[in-house]
Coordinates of all heavy atoms in Angstrom, one line a residue:
M7 N 10.1 18.3 3.0 CA 9.3 17.1 3.6 C 8.1 16.9 2.8 O 7.5 17.9 2.4 CB 9.0 17.4 5.1 CG 8.4 16.3 5.8 SD 8.2 16.4 7.6 CE 6.5 16.7 7.5
L8 N 7.8 15.7 2.6 CA 6.6 15.3 1.9 C 5.8 14.4 2.7 O 6.3 13.4 3.3 CB 6.9 14.7 0.6 CG 5.8 14.2 -0.3 CD1 4.8 15.3 -0.8 CD2 6.3 13.4 -1.4
E9 N 4.5 14.7 2.9 CA 3.6 13.8 3.7 C 2.4 13.4 2.8 O 1.8 14.4 2.3 CB 3.1 14.4 4.9 CG 2.3 13.6 5.8 CD 1.9 14.2 7.2 OE1 2.7 15.0 7.7 OE2 0.9 13.8 7.6
V10 N 2.3 12.2 2.6 CA 1.2 11.6 1.8 C 0.3 10.7 2.7 O 0.8 9.8 3.3 CB 1.6 11.0 0.5 CG1 0.5 10.5 -0.4 CG2 2.5 12.0 -0.3
V11 N -1.0 10.8 2.6 CA -1.9 10.0 3.3 C -2.8 9.3 2.3 O -3.4 10.0 1.4 CB -2.8 10.7 4.2 CG1 -3.8 9.8 5.0 CG2 -1.8 11.4 5.3
V12 N -2.8 8.0 2.3 CA -3.8 7.2 1.4 C -4.7 6.5 2.2 O -4.3 5.8 3.1 CB -2.9 6.3 0.5 CG1 -3.7 5.4 -0.4 CG2 -1.8 7.1 -0.3
S13 N -5.9 6.6 1.8 CA -6.9 5.7 2.6 C -7.8 5.0 1.6 O -8.0 5.4 0.4 CB -7.8 6.6 3.5 OG -8.5 7.6 2.7
G14 N -8.3 3.9 2.0 CA -9.2 3.1 1.2 C -10.3 2.5 2.0 O -10.1 2.3 3.3
I15 N -11.4 2.2 1.4 CA -12.5 1.5 2.2 C -12.7 0.2 1.4 O -12.9 0.1 0.2 CB -13.8 2.4 2.0 CG1 -13.6 3.8 2.7 CG2 -14.9 1.7 2.6 CD1 -14.7 4.7 2.4
F16 N -12.6 -0.8 2.3 CA -12.6 -2.2 1.8 C -13.7 -3.0 2.5 O -13.9 -2.7 3.7 CB -11.3 -2.9 1.9 CG -10.2 -2.3 1.1 CD1 -9.4 -1.3 1.7 CD2 -10.0 -2.7 -0.1 CE1 -8.4 -0.7 1.0 CE2 -8.9 -2.1 -0.9 CZ -8.1 -1.1 -0.3
E17 N -14.2 -3.9 1.9 CA -15.1 -4.9 2.6 C -14.8 -6.4 2.3 O -14.4 -6.6 1.2 CB -16.7 -4.6 2.1 CG -17.3 -3.3 2.5 CD -18.7 -3.2 2.0 OE1 -19.3 -4.3 1.9 OE2 -19.2 -2.1 1.9
L18 N -14.8 -7.2 3.3 CA -14.5 -8.5 3.2 C -15.8 -9.4 3.6 O -16.2 -9.3 4.8 CB -13.4 -8.8 4.1 CG -12.9 -10.4 4.0 CD1 -12.5 -10.7 2.6 CD2 -11.7 -10.5 5.0
H19 N -16.3 -10.0 2.6 CA -17.6 -10.8 2.8 C -17.2 -12.3 2.8 O -17.3 -13.0 1.7 CB -18.7 -10.5 1.8 CG -19.1 -9.1 1.7 ND1 -20.0 -8.5 2.6 CD2 -18.7 -8.1 0.9 CE1 -20.2 -7.3 2.4 NE2 -19.4 -6.9 1.3
A20 N -16.6 -12.8 3.9 CA -16.2 -14.1 3.9 C -16.3 -14.5 5.4 O -16.1 -13.8 6.3 CB -14.9 -14.3 3.4
E21 N -16.7 -15.8 5.6 CA -16.7 -16.2 7.0 C -15.4 -16.9 7.3 O -15.3 -18.1 7.0 CB -17.9 -17.2 7.2 CG -19.3 -16.5 7.1 CD -20.4 -17.4 7.4 OE1 -20.2 -18.4 8.2 OE2 -21.6 -17.1 7.0
L22 N -14.5 -16.1 7.9 CA -13.1 -16.7 8.2 C -12.9 -16.3 9.7 O -13.5 -15.5 10.2 CB -12.1 -16.0 7.3 CG -12.2 -16.1 5.9 CD1 -11.2 -15.2 5.1 CD2 -12.0 -17.6 5.5
E23 N -11.9 -17.0 10.2 CA -11.5 -16.6 11.6 C -10.9 -15.2 11.5 O -10.5 -14.7 10.6 CB -10.4 -17.6 12.0 CG -10.9 -18.9 12.3 CD -9.9 -19.9 12.8 OE1 -8.7 -19.5 13.2 OE2 -10.0 -21.2 12.7
K24 N -11.0 -14.5 12.8 CA -10.6 -13.2 12.9 C -9.1 -13.0 12.4 O -8.8 -12.0 11.7 CB -10.7 -12.7 14.3 CG -10.4 -11.2 14.5 CD -10.6 -10.8 15.9 CE -10.1 -9.3 16.0 NZ -10.4 -8.9 17.4
T25 N -8.2 -13.9 12.8 CA -6.8 -13.7 12.4 C -6.5 -13.9 10.8 O -5.9 -13.3 10.3 CB -5.9 -14.9 13.2 OG1 -6.4 -16.1 12.9 CG2 -5.8 -14.6 14.6
Q26 N -7.4 -14.8 10.3 CA -7.3 -15.0 8.8 C -7.7 -13.7 8.2 O -7.1 -13.3 7.2 CB -8.1 -16.2 8.3 CG -7.5 -17.4 8.6 CD -8.4 -18.6 8.3 OE1 -9.7 -18.5 8.4 NE2 -7.9 -19.7 7.8
K27 N -8.9 -13.1 8.6 CA -9.3 -11.8 8.0 C -8.3 -10.7 8.1 O -8.1 -9.9 7.2 CB -10.6 -11.4 8.7 CG -11.9 -12.1 8.3 CD -13.1 -11.6 8.8 CE -14.3 -12.3 8.4 NZ -15.6 -11.7 9.0
E28 N -7.7 -10.6 9.3 CA -6.7 -9.5 9.5 C -5.5 -9.7 8.5 O -5.0 -8.7 8.1 CB -6.2 -9.6 11.0 CG -7.3 -9.1 11.9 CD -6.8 -9.3 13.4 OE1 -5.9 -9.7 13.7 OE2 -7.6 -8.8 14.3
I29 N -5.1 -10.9 8.4 CA -4.0 -11.1 7.4 C -4.3 -10.8 6.0 O -3.5 -10.1 5.2 CB -3.5 -12.7 7.4 CG1 -2.9 -13.0 8.9 CG2 -2.6 -13.0 6.3 CD1 -2.6 -14.4 9.1
I30 N -5.5 -11.2 5.5 CA -6.0 -10.9 4.3 C -6.2 -9.4 4.0 O -5.7 -8.8 3.1 CB -7.3 -11.7 3.9 CG1 -7.0 -13.1 3.8 CG2 -8.0 -11.1 2.6 CD1 -8.3 -14.0 3.7
V31 N -6.7 -8.7 5.0 CA -7.0 -7.3 4.9 C -5.7 -6.5 4.9 O -5.4 -5.7 4.2 CB -7.9 -6.9 6.1 CG1 -7.9 -5.3 6.1 CG2 -9.2 -7.4 5.8
T32 N -4.8 -6.9 5.8 CA -3.5 -6.2 5.9 C -2.7 -6.3 4.5 O -2.3 -5.4 3.9 CB -2.6 -6.8 7.0 OG1 -3.3 -6.6 8.2 CG2 -1.3 -6.1 7.1
K33 N -2.6 -7.5 4.1 CA -1.8 -7.8 2.9 C -2.4 -7.1 1.7 O -1.8 -6.5 0.9 CB -1.5 -9.3 2.7 CG -0.5 -9.8 3.7 CD -0.2 -11.3 3.3 CE 0.8 -11.8 4.3 NZ 1.1 -13.2 4.0
N34 N -3.7 -7.4 1.5 CA -4.4 -6.9 0.3 C -4.5 -5.4 0.1 O -4.4 -4.9 -0.8 CB -5.7 -7.7 0.1 CG -5.5 -9.1 -0.3 OD1 -4.4 -9.5 -0.8 ND2 -6.5 -9.9 -0.2
T35 N -4.8 -4.9 1.4 CA -5.1 -3.3 1.3 C -3.8 -2.7 0.9 O -3.8 -1.8 0.2 CB -5.6 -2.8 2.5 OG1 -4.8 -3.3 3.7 CG2 -7.1 -3.3 2.7
L36 N -2.6 -3.1 1.5 CA -1.3 -2.5 1.2 C -1.0 -2.7 -0.2 O -0.5 -1.8 -0.9 CB -0.3 -3.1 2.1 CG -0.4 -2.7 3.6 CD1 0.7 -3.4 4.4 CD2 0.0 -1.2 3.8
A37 N -1.3 -3.9 -0.7 CA -0.8 -4.2 -2.1 C -1.8 -3.4 -3.1 O -1.3 -3.1 -4.1 CB -1.0 -5.7 -2.4
I38 N -2.9 -3.2 -2.7 CA -3.8 -2.5 -3.6 C -3.5 -0.9 -3.7 O -3.5 -0.2 -4.7 CB -5.3 -2.7 -3.3 CG1 -5.6 -4.1 -3.6 CG2 -6.2 -1.7 -3.9 CD1 -7.0 -4.7 -3.0
L39 N -3.3 -0.4 -2.5 CA -3.1 1.0 -2.3 C -1.6 1.5 -2.6 O -1.4 2.7 -2.9 CB -3.4 1.5 -0.8 CG -4.9 1.4 -0.5 CD1 -5.1 1.8 1.0 CD2 -5.7 2.3 -1.3
F40 N -0.7 0.6 -2.5 CA 0.7 1.0 -2.7 C 1.0 1.7 -4.0 O 1.7 2.7 -4.2 CB 1.7 -0.1 -2.4 CG 3.1 0.4 -2.4 CD1 3.7 1.3 -1.5 CD2 4.0 0.0 -3.5 CE1 4.9 1.7 -1.5 CE2 5.3 0.4 -3.5 CZ 5.9 1.2 -2.6
P41 N 0.5 1.1 -5.2 CA 0.7 1.7 -6.5 C 0.2 3.1 -6.6 O 0.8 4.0 -7.2 CB 0.0 0.8 -7.4 CG -0.1 -0.5 -6.8 CD -0.2 -0.2 -5.3
Y42 N -0.9 3.4 -5.9 CA -1.5 4.8 -5.9 C -0.7 5.8 -5.1 O -0.4 6.8 -5.5 CB -2.9 4.7 -5.3 CG -3.9 4.0 -6.1 CD1 -4.3 2.6 -5.8 CD2 -4.5 4.6 -7.2 CE1 -5.2 2.0 -6.6 CE2 -5.4 3.9 -8.0 CZ -5.8 2.6 -7.7 OH -6.6 1.9 -8.4
L43 N -0.1 5.3 -4.1 CA 0.8 6.1 -3.2 C 2.1 6.5 -4.1 O 2.5 7.6 -4.2 CB 1.4 5.4 -2.1 CG 2.4 6.0 -1.2 CD1 1.9 7.2 -0.5 CD2 3.2 5.1 -0.4
R44 N 2.6 5.4 -4.8 CA 3.8 5.7 -5.6 C 3.5 6.7 -6.7 O 4.3 7.6 -6.9 CB 4.3 4.3 -6.4 CG 4.8 3.3 -5.4 CD 5.2 2.0 -6.1 NE 6.3 2.3 -7.1 CZ 6.2 2.0 -8.4 NH1 5.2 1.3 -9.0 NH2 7.2 2.3 -9.2
A45 N 2.3 6.6 -7.4 CA 2.0 7.5 -8.4 C 1.8 8.9 -7.9 O 2.1 9.8 -8.5 CB 0.7 7.0 -9.2
Q46 N 1.1 8.9 -6.8 CA 0.9 10.4 -6.1 C 2.2 11.0 -5.7 O 2.4 12.2 -6.0 CB 0.0 10.2 -4.9 CG -0.5 11.5 -4.3 CD -1.4 12.1 -5.4 OE1 -2.1 11.6 -6.2 NE2 -1.5 13.5 -5.2
V47 N 3.1 10.3 -5.2 CA 4.4 11.0 -4.9 C 5.2 11.3 -6.1 O 5.6 12.5 -6.1 CB 5.3 9.9 -4.0 CG1 6.7 10.5 -3.8 CG2 4.7 9.6 -2.6
T48 N 5.2 10.6 -7.1 CA 5.8 11.0 -8.3 C 5.1 12.2 -8.9 O 5.9 13.1 -9.3 CB 5.9 9.8 -9.3 OG1 6.5 8.7 -8.8 CG2 6.5 10.2 -10.6
M49 N 3.8 12.2 -9.0 CA 3.2 13.4 -9.6 C 3.5 14.7 -8.7 O 3.6 15.7 -9.3 CB 1.7 13.1 -9.6 CG 0.8 14.1 -10.3 SD -0.8 13.8 -10.2 CE -1.3 14.0 -8.6
M50 N 3.3 14.5 -7.4 CA 3.6 15.7 -6.5 C 5.0 16.3 -6.6 O 5.2 17.4 -6.4 CB 3.2 15.3 -5.1 CG 1.8 15.1 -4.9 SD 1.4 14.5 -3.2 CE 2.0 15.9 -2.2
T51 N 6.0 15.4 -6.9 CA 7.3 15.8 -7.0 C 7.8 16.2 -8.5 O 9.0 16.5 -8.7 CB 8.3 14.9 -6.3 OG1 8.2 13.6 -7.1 CG2 7.9 14.7 -4.9
S52 N 7.0 16.0 -9.4 CA 7.3 16.2 -10.8 C 7.1 17.7 -11.2 O 6.0 18.1 -11.6 CB 6.5 15.4 -11.7 OG 6.8 14.0 -11.6
Q53 N 8.0 18.5 -10.8 CA 7.9 19.9 -11.1 C 9.1 20.3 -12.1 O 10.1 19.6 -12.1 CB 8.1 20.8 -9.9 CG 7.1 20.5 -8.9 CD 5.6 20.9 -9.2 OE1 5.4 21.9 -9.9 NE2 4.7 20.0 -8.9
P54 N 8.9 21.3 -12.9 CA 10.0 21.7 -13.8 C 11.3 22.0 -13.0 O 11.3 22.5 -12.0 CB 9.5 23.0 -14.5 CG 8.0 23.0 -14.3 CD 7.8 22.2 -13.0
D55 N 12.4 21.5 -13.7 CA 13.7 21.7 -13.1 C 14.0 21.0 -11.8 O 14.9 21.3 -11.0 CB 14.1 23.2 -12.9 CG 14.0 24.0 -14.3 OD1 14.4 23.4 -15.2 OD2 13.6 25.2 -14.2
V56 N 13.1 20.0 -11.5 CA 13.3 19.2 -10.3 C 13.2 17.8 -10.7 O 12.3 17.4 -11.3 CB 12.2 19.6 -9.2 CG1 12.3 18.7 -7.9 CG2 12.3 21.1 -8.8
E57 N 14.1 17.1 -10.1 CA 14.1 15.6 -10.5 C 13.0 14.9 -9.5 O 12.9 15.0 -8.3 CB 15.4 14.9 -10.1 CG 15.4 13.5 -10.6 CD 16.8 12.9 -10.5 OE1 17.8 13.7 -10.5 OE2 16.9 11.7 -10.3
P58 N 12.0 14.2 -10.2 CA 10.9 13.6 -9.4 C 11.3 12.5 -8.5 O 12.3 11.8 -8.8 CB 10.0 13.1 -10.4 CG 10.8 12.9 -11.6 CD 11.9 13.9 -11.6
V59 N 10.6 12.3 -7.4 CA 10.9 11.2 -6.5 C 10.2 10.1 -7.0 O 8.8 10.1 -7.1 CB 10.5 11.5 -5.0 CG1 10.6 10.3 -4.2 CG2 11.3 12.7 -4.5
V60 N 10.8 8.9 -7.3 CA 10.1 7.7 -7.8 C 10.4 6.6 -6.8 O 11.5 6.1 -6.7 CB 10.6 7.3 -9.2 CG1 9.9 6.1 -9.8 CG2 10.5 8.5 -10.2
I61 N 9.3 6.1 -6.2 CA 9.4 5.1 -5.2 C 9.4 3.7 -6.0 O 8.5 3.5 -6.8 CB 8.2 5.1 -4.2 CG1 8.2 6.4 -3.4 CG2 8.3 3.8 -3.3 CD1 7.0 6.6 -2.6
P62 N 10.4 2.9 -5.8 CA 10.4 1.6 -6.5 C 9.3 0.7 -6.2 O 8.7 0.8 -5.1 CB 11.8 1.0 -6.0 CG 12.1 1.6 -4.8 CD 11.4 2.9 -4.8
A63 N 8.9 -0.1 -7.1 CA 7.9 -1.1 -6.8 C 8.4 -2.1 -5.7 O 9.6 -2.5 -5.7 CB 7.6 -1.9 -8.2
I64 N 7.5 -2.5 -4.9 CA 7.7 -3.4 -3.8 C 6.8 -4.6 -3.8 O 5.6 -4.3 -3.9 CB 7.7 -2.7 -2.4 CG1 8.7 -1.5 -2.4 CG2 8.0 -3.6 -1.3 CD1 8.7 -0.6 -1.2
N65 N 7.4 -5.7 -3.5 CA 6.5 -6.9 -3.4 C 6.0 -6.9 -1.9 O 6.7 -7.2 -1.0 CB 7.3 -8.2 -3.6 CG 6.4 -9.5 -3.5 OD1 5.4 -9.5 -2.8 ND2 6.8 -10.5 -4.2
I66 N 4.8 -6.4 -1.7 CA 4.3 -6.2 -0.4 C 4.2 -7.5 0.4 O 4.5 -7.6 1.6 CB 2.8 -5.6 -0.4 CG1 3.0 -4.2 -1.1 CG2 2.3 -5.5 1.0 CD1 3.8 -3.1 -0.4
N67 N 3.7 -8.6 -0.3 CA 3.6 -9.8 0.4 C 5.0 -10.4 0.9 O 5.1 -10.8 2.0 CB 2.9 -10.9 -0.4 CG 1.5 -10.6 -0.6 OD1 0.8 -10.1 0.3 ND2 0.9 -10.9 -1.7
L68 N 6.0 -10.2 0.1 CA 7.3 -10.7 0.5 C 7.9 -9.8 1.6 O 8.4 -10.3 2.6 CB 8.2 -10.6 -0.7 CG 9.6 -11.0 -0.4 CD1 9.7 -12.6 0.0 CD2 10.5 -10.9 -1.7
L69 N 7.6 -8.4 1.6 CA 8.0 -7.5 2.6 C 7.4 -7.9 3.9 O 8.1 -8.0 4.9 CB 7.6 -6.1 2.2 CG 7.9 -5.1 3.3 CD1 9.5 -4.9 3.4 CD2 7.4 -3.7 2.9
L70 N 6.1 -8.1 3.9 CA 5.4 -8.5 5.1 C 5.9 -9.9 5.7 O 6.0 -10.0 6.9 CB 3.9 -8.5 5.0 CG 3.2 -7.1 4.7 CD1 1.8 -7.3 4.4 CD2 3.6 -6.2 6.0
Q71 N 6.2 -10.7 4.8 CA 6.7 -12.1 5.1 C 8.0 -12.0 5.8 O 8.3 -12.6 6.9 CB 6.7 -12.9 4.0 CG 6.8 -14.4 4.2 CD 6.7 -15.2 2.8 OE1 7.5 -14.8 1.9 NE2 5.9 -16.1 2.8
N72 N 8.9 -11.1 5.4 CA 10.2 -10.9 5.9 C 10.2 -10.2 7.2 O 11.1 -10.3 8.1 CB 11.1 -10.2 5.0 CG 11.5 -11.0 3.8 OD1 11.5 -12.1 3.9 ND2 11.8 -10.3 2.7
L73 N 9.2 -9.4 7.6 CA 8.9 -8.7 8.7 C 8.5 -9.6 9.9 O 8.6 -9.3 11.1 CB 7.9 -7.5 8.7 CG 8.4 -6.4 7.8 CD1 7.3 -5.3 7.6 CD2 9.8 -5.7 8.3
E74 N 7.9 -10.7 9.5 CA 7.4 -11.7 10.5 C 8.4 -12.5 11.2 O 9.5 -12.7 11.0 CB 6.4 -12.6 9.9 CG 5.2 -11.9 9.4 CD 4.1 -12.9 8.7 OE1 4.6 -14.0 8.4 OE2 3.0 -12.4 8.4

């Protein structure tokens, strides 16, 4: 089992409605952090004589759009 936690600190300096801010923060933070998660998982599983786990690239905006 592999557990990876990725955290980021972001600031949004814009006067928008609360729902607009939540949408922007959700989509952008996931899109920004996901490549770091992918790289970390590949690095952690890249050991000699073991095939690394490579998470495919995902279009975060399209994924979230399909979930709605």
Side-chain angles (χ1 to χ4, degrees):
M7 184 174 107
L8 175 66
E9 182 176 330
V10 180
V11 177
V12 179
S13 62
I15 299 172
F16 298 90
E17 291 185 26
L18 178 60
H19 299 281
E21 293 191 22
L22 302 170
E23 292 179 17
K24 184 178 178 181
T25 55
Q26 288 178 318
K27 282 185 180 182
E28 289 174 358
I29 291 169
I30 290 171
V31 168
T32 301
K33 288 183 178 183
N34 288 343
T35 54
L36 288 173
I38 291 168
L39 291 175
F40 186 70
Y42 293 101
L43 172 79
R44 291 180 62 231
Q46 190 66 27
V47 168
T48 300
M49 185 181 70
M50 291 174 65
T51 60
S52 295
Q53 301 296 320
D55 299 323
V56 177
E57 189 172 332
V59 175
V60 180
I61 300 172
I64 296 173
N65 183 333
I66 299 296
N67 289 324
L68 183 60
L69 175 68
L70 292 174
Q71 199 173 45
N72 289 337
L73 292 175
E74 294 175 351

